[in-house]
Amino acid sequence: MIQPTNALRLKVGGGRLGVIDPAAIAKAEAALKSLAGNFSQWLNDEIVKLDAARLQVHAQGITIESMENLYLRAHDLKGLGTTYGYQLITRIAGSLCRMIDDKEKRSTTPMELVDAHIDAIKAAVRDDIKSDEHPVGRVLVEELERRVKAMA
């Protein structure tokens, strides 16, 4: 029996199980740091997409397509917020995703609460509130999460 080589293991750990090459980590961190200057613009681009999706829902009403687009934009921000240095955005977008995750319940989504989530994301960036360690950020995200939980 021929065992194929594990190329990934060789790349990240030199073949030693559970050991990651410090040089590979340093290289990855340097690459991420070199991109950090673009994070602000990329984050703003994602927020513009989310806001456009919200406006689409307001203009067209709650449809399968408009709500799916809104969900996908929120999901993108949920995944990218922390990468861009805004853990609070990840948490707020996660709350929005939980609220509209169930496709069967999207038709009864209270748009005022959707608006509150998106406005909170925009305010976090505007006021440079990056985490829930900030007192305003904490109160804001906890209230949004409480309201989403109350809907369940």
Side-chain angles (χ1 to χ4, degrees):
M1 183 154 148
I2 298 173
Q3 287 283 44
T5 61
N6 186 334
L8 180 59
R9 179 182 293 160
L10 292 173
K11 288 180 182 179
V12 297
R16 298 168 303 201
L17 185 59
V19 178
I20 297 177
D21 182 7
I25 293 172
K27 186 177 177 181
E29 287 175 345
L32 190 60
K33 188 174 183 179
S34 73
L35 295 173
N38 299 322
F39 285 179
S40 177
Q41 182 59 50
W42 292 341
L43 177 60
N44 283 324
D45 291 347
E46 293 301 321
I47 292 171
V48 166
K49 291 175 190 175
L50 178 65
D51 204 30
R54 169 191 25 190
L55 294 175
Q56 179 187 20
V57 174
H58 282 291
Q60 297 177 1
I62 295 177
T63 66
I64 293 170
E65 295 81 16
S66 66
M67 290 302 286
E68 183 67 14
N69 187 37
L70 180 69
Y71 176 79
L72 292 174
R73 301 287 67 86
H75 195 270
D76 286 349
L77 271 172
K78 175 183 156 193
L80 293 171
T82 299
T83 301
Y84 295 153
Y86 283 85
Q87 299 83 357
L88 185 64
I89 289 177
T90 290
R91 194 164 160 192
I92 295 169
S95 176
L96 177 55
C97 284
R98 276 187 299 283
M99 182 172 63
I100 60 176
D101 184 50
D102 186 342
K103 292 179 182 184
E104 301 298 319
K105 295 182 180 178
R106 286 181 182 170
S107 63
T108 60
T109 299
M111 283 307 295
E112 303 82 26
L113 192 50
V114 169
D115 291 339
H117 279 81
I118 295 169
D119 291 343
I121 288 170
K122 291 169 74 173
V125 172
R126 181 193 65 226
D127 296 339
D128 200 35
I129 302 172
K130 295 185 175 188
S131 77
D132 60 9
E133 292 178 13
H134 189 285
V136 173
R138 181 180 314 111
V139 169
L140 187 60
V141 74
E142 287 176 355
E143 180 62 18
L144 290 169
E145 290 171 342
R146 185 188 67 75
R147 290 188 181 200
V148 169
K149 188 176 181 180
M151 289 176 47

